Amino acid sequence: MKNGPTRKRGDSAKFVYQHLRESIICLELAPGELLDEASLSSRFLMSRSPIREALIRLSMEGLVHTLPNKNSVVAPLGLDTLPDYLDALELIQRLVTRLAAQFRTEDDLEFMRAKQIEFRNALAQADFALMIDSNREFHMAISKAARNKYFDFLYSRLLDDGKRMLYLYFNSFFEGVPDSVADEHDLIIDAIENKDADRAETLAKAHAIDVATKFLNYLNDRHSTDFDIRVKPRDGQS
């Protein structure tokens, strides 16, 4: 991060939040790294109050953990529980997509398509941070159509917890993220529009498994002297 970045007056907490969030998601700030309020205050040239507000907001997204001594650190990636996370994400994604096909309205479809356009625009710009946010918004548009606030809450948290994993997934495409990633979204929208719940669920499952498989393969091929991020594939995956 650069020292003393430009910001608008009265928008300090939001600026710090956005800056730290992008640095965490893009792994510029490593898992477990200390986020000292005094150091951040000096870096951003502002008081501790907006720094603290930004850290609280990041902790609500699961990107920052507050320690018993009140210090904050970048949340770990949680690779030890990765198989459980991927199972939960796949199941909830299948469920909300199936329900969306059953209960969607024309307004829901319009909202999904708008979010899909945003994702394609981010894809065209090869902007990983924007792709992660627009991907989340697309899937949450589907979740809203499912009409279940409990599933919506759970799906939202799972997507937030997986933001850094999704960054690594996008980064695994060494020649750029292919359009096929967005094409899968279009197929899901078509199934939801046709109220074909079985096909919608099948596509959602395939989409989740494809992301999980590529991500696991990326981790297993990755070598780092800083920390070991290699994990074993789940049963049935290579």
Side-chain angles (χ1 to χ4, degrees):
M1 293 185 297
K2 297 179 181 179
N3 291 335
T6 303
R7 66 182 184 278
K8 294 181 180 180
R9 183 182 298 274
D11 209 20
S12 298
K14 181 179 179 181
F15 180 85
V16 174
Y17 160 77
Q18 292 175 336
H19 196 75
L20 289 178
R21 182 177 181 273
E22 182 171 350
S23 295
I24 292 171
I25 289 175
C26 296
L27 299 174
E28 293 173 8
L29 289 172
E33 186 168 339
L34 179 66
L35 299 172
D36 178 66
E37 289 185 11
S39 298
L40 292 173
S41 178
S42 176
R43 182 188 297 273
F44 287 102
L45 304 178
M46 62 181 68
S47 69
R48 292 193 183 189
S49 293
I51 301 294
R52 190 174 299 116
E53 183 179 337
L55 292 175
I56 290 173
R57 186 173 175 184
L58 289 166
S59 69
M60 293 175 65
E61 291 189 24
L63 293 174
V64 166
H65 284 180
T66 302
L67 303 178
N69 61 5
K70 302 299 178 65
N71 284 332
S72 297
V73 297
V74 177
L77 277 174
L79 296 179
D80 55 331
T81 60
L82 181 59
D84 291 340
Y85 169 81
L86 293 174
D87 282 341
L89 180 63
E90 177 194 322
L91 287 173
I92 194 68
Q93 186 160 294
R94 289 168 55 187
L95 178 59
V96 298
T97 306
R98 182 179 188 86
L99 291 175
Q102 294 174 326
F103 301 122
R104 62 84 178 158
T105 65
E106 290 301 318
D107 287 342
D108 291 327
L109 289 172
E110 183 177 349
F111 190 52
M112 289 177 211
R113 293 190 184 103
K115 295 305 176 183
Q116 171 67 341
I117 290 173
E118 292 177 6
F119 179 74
R120 281 199 176 275
N121 289 338
L123 182 63
Q125 298 173 44
D127 185 328
F128 286 0
L130 189 57
M131 287 165 61
I132 290 167
D133 285 341
S134 57
N135 177 76
R136 180 192 186 281
E137 291 305 307
F138 168 75
H139 284 287
M140 287 309 300
I142 293 175
S143 183
K144 295 296 182 185
R147 302 290 187 273
N148 187 302
K149 66 178 182 179
Y150 298 104
F151 295 152
D152 192 64
F153 174 80
L154 177 57
Y155 197 28
S156 174
R157 185 55 191 263
L158 286 168
L159 291 172
D160 283 340
D161 285 351
K163 285 173 181 174
R164 286 176 293 174
M165 298 179 193
L166 192 59
Y167 173 83
L168 290 174
Y169 165 71
F170 288 145
N171 197 52
S172 70
F173 295 97
F174 298 108
E175 297 182 356
V177 181
D179 289 339
S180 59
V181 174
D183 293 341
E184 292 176 10
H185 287 181
D186 288 328
L187 292 175
I188 291 172
I189 293 175
D190 289 343
I192 292 174
E193 180 179 15
N194 293 327
K195 294 194 172 184
D196 189 339
D198 289 340
R199 177 164 171 74
E201 181 183 350
T202 297
L203 290 168
K205 178 181 179 180
H207 186 55
I209 290 177
D210 181 63
V211 172
T213 300
K214 286 186 172 66
F215 176 67
L216 289 172
N217 288 339
Y218 173 76
L219 290 184
N220 283 326
D221 291 340
R222 175 77 178 265
H223 297 283
S224 173
T225 57
D226 297 325
F227 59 97
D228 185 5
I229 59 173
R230 292 172 294 174
V231 297
K232 295 180 180 180
R234 295 185 295 168
D235 292 340
Q237 294 184 359
S238 58

